[in-house]
Amino acid sequence: MESNHTTLAPKFAALGDPTRLAIVTRLMSDGPQSAGDLQDIADISAPAISRHLKVLRQAGVIRQQIDAQRRIYSIEPEAIQAIGNWTISKREFWEGSLDRLSRILDSQKEI
């Protein structure tokens, strides 16, 4: 069985690119779209958009459906849920760490 880190690493790597993050953001806000619909995301060629979509598909962040001659891309909800769960768990860690640091700093003021 793969660890959570093993399955999340490719997703975060794919989202680390600004163009790919913009694609995912668009798909999340506007719903499924074709590669042509996503062309205005960045000032890059159609083949470059296709390469970004391929990376996102291989990472499991988006899915592709074929509709006649068009390929329609949409978010893979389970991937976004996994990323969200991981992010929330780390947020709780950092909030606890910052609370502890605040208490230490407050105790230092009293000395």
Side-chain angles (χ1 to χ4, degrees):
M1 182 167 143
E2 290 186 29
S3 73
N4 198 27
H5 292 89
T6 306
T7 60
L8 282 176
K11 292 168 181 46
F12 279 113
L15 293 173
D17 178 88
T19 300
R20 290 192 288 269
L21 183 58
I23 290 169
V24 170
T25 301
R26 167 82 68 82
L27 292 174
M28 289 178 72
S29 65
D30 296 352
Q33 296 187 23
S34 70
D37 295 335
L38 297 165
Q39 189 64 42
D40 66 337
I41 291 280
D43 189 21
I44 58 176
S45 67
I49 288 286
S50 292
R51 286 191 295 274
H52 284 297
L53 290 167
K54 181 179 179 181
V55 170
L56 289 166
R57 272 194 343 268
Q58 289 175 336
V61 177
I62 65 171
R63 66 176 92 165
Q64 171 186 284
Q65 294 173 295
I66 297 177
D67 178 30
Q69 296 292 324
R70 295 178 41 176
R71 288 176 171 79
I72 305 298
Y73 299 92
S74 60
I75 292 298
E76 187 64 62
E78 295 81 13
I80 301 304
Q81 182 67 45
I83 291 167
N85 290 342
W86 184 88
T87 304
I88 288 168
S89 74
K90 299 311 170 212
R91 178 179 176 201
E92 291 168 358
F93 166 79
W94 281 109
E95 285 177 351
S97 295
L98 292 172
D99 288 344
R100 287 189 297 278
L101 177 60
S102 179
R103 286 193 299 273
I104 290 169
L105 293 174
D106 287 344
S107 70
Q108 295 295 319
K109 289 178 189 175
E110 296 171 3
I111 296 178

